[in-house]
Amino acid sequence: MPTMDELRDRLRRRPGMAGLTDVEADDLLDEASDMVRDYCGWHIWPRQEMTVTADSIGGGVISLPTLMLHAVTAVETRPWADHAPDAWQPVTGGWDWSENGHLIRRGCWPTGPRRVRAVIESGYEDPPGAIGSVLLGLAVRTYRMPAGVSSEQAGGESLSYSTARDPMESGPGGTLSSPERAILDRYRLANRP
């Protein structure tokens, strides 16, 4: 897994990208990261501690917004429709968690919206698998062909960008191509088993 610093260096090695400053390269990679995270539905990286609140349909399993769970340090529930800050009560024992983001309880979780809150440590240290390649592709396309721009003109010079018939297939700046979506699909919450 390449670090973001390694990805910045790799971005500069792409044709026409050598002159990028650290700030410009980081901005392009941050924008690409936002697109990837939006598509996948969770933060993916870096590894961090956070508090999440989940809805419950009353079964023994609740899905948390992560596919890489490292730890659950606290779990709380609250009574139905009690929104007071002190309504949350700790759940001591009788629960466990799985690495793919499930909170499991012997018996049932209380039914209702925002009924379970957990303090979790979640995410990969760095962009996993081929996500680094997706980030580089998005960053390069965003720099070379901003979304919505098909040509530019300055003075007597003009530049036109090639476009495909299906913009989702060509992956213009700011959009994911079909191969990139296929890579990211294994990290999407919507595809959780």
Side-chain angles (χ1 to χ4, degrees), residues 37 41-52 64-73 97-102 118-126 189 192:
R37 289 176 176 129
W42 65 293
H43 79 281
I44 307 172
W45 80 94
R47 185 172 173 165
Q48 59 189 4
E49 183 178 278
M50 64 184 76
T51 300
V52 296
L64 301 174
T66 181
L67 294 177
M68 178 49 68
L69 188 59
H70 298 281
V72 178
T73 57
W97 56 273
S98 67
E99 186 178 76
N100 67 351
H102 293 111
V119 177
I120 66 173
E121 189 175 320
S122 166
Y124 295 86
E125 297 292 337
D126 295 300
L189 282 180
R192 181 195 315 246

Side-chain angles (χ1 to χ4, degrees), residues 110-160:
T111 302
R114 301 171 316 279
R115 292 295 300 277
V116 177
R117 182 167 68 183
V119 177
I120 66 173
E121 189 175 320
S122 166
Y124 295 86
E125 297 292 337
D126 295 300
I131 286 181
S133 296
V134 172
L135 294 174
L136 290 173
L138 283 167
V140 168
R141 284 196 312 276
T142 299
Y143 180 77
R144 292 185 181 158
M145 187 175 40
V149 176
S150 61
S151 65
E152 298 179 64
Q153 183 172 351
E157 300 293 321
S158 68
L159 175 63
S160 296

